[in-house]
Amino acid sequence: MGTRATPERSQTADGSAHPSGDDRFRYLDAAMKRHRYRPDALIEVLHTAQELFGYLEPDLLRYVARGLRLPPSRVFGVATFYHLFTFTPRGEHTCTVCTGTACYVKGADALLGVVEQITGTHPGMTTADSRISLETARCVGACGLAPIVVFDGKVVGQMTPEQLAERVKGWLDHGT
């Protein structure tokens, strides 16, 4: 889960140190406090938790459930419903292929096949060397640019299999 913070830096807003010593919990606590611990802020808090920790592990979901005074089943249900939340560590780079209707019609399956062939992974998986995570999205909302691939959060439209192969091979060969 990362580097342990010094006890002085890992104190919560009320002055007590977080038992884990991990400063990220202090920031997560601040996010929940900013939303006044309202249960309807669950999605925003989950985004903050994922941003801080990189992914949502079961202990972290239980921590959020306790902080927002929600049943853990509700937190798990919401987190697993939305595809933007991840439950395993992501690779150094993320390649998300949109599989919405417009992208599907314009060749999303061929794009997915290219990445699977080059990386040896499937959607929802990360390469063994943790360099690339392959994901799919139901729709990224830019259908006029189909087919779309999102590289590390940057949307690129009208993607061809050749362009995609070049980009993914660049990540594998040079890290860029």
Side-chain angles (χ1 to χ4, degrees), residues 37-58:
Y37 303 98
R38 291 186 341 250
D40 63 354
L42 175 59
I43 291 175
E44 289 89 350
V45 171
L46 288 174
H47 277 292
T48 300
Q50 183 165 287
E51 189 177 306
L52 289 169
F53 293 88
Y55 65 101
L56 303 173
E57 61 182 64

Side-chain angles (χ1 to χ4, degrees), residues 4-5 10 18 21 25 31 51 66 68 70 102 105 130 137 141-142 151 156 161 169:
R4 298 271 175 186
S10 64
H18 190 274
F25 283 104
E51 189 177 306
R66 191 174 26 255
L68 298 181
L70 287 169
V105 169
S130 298
F151 297 104
V156 179
K169 286 179 181 175

Side-chain angles (χ1 to χ4, degrees), residues 81-92:
F81 178 79
Y82 292 101
H83 73 277
L84 292 175
F85 296 121
T86 181
F87 305 99
T88 57
R90 287 186 171 178
E92 183 181 332

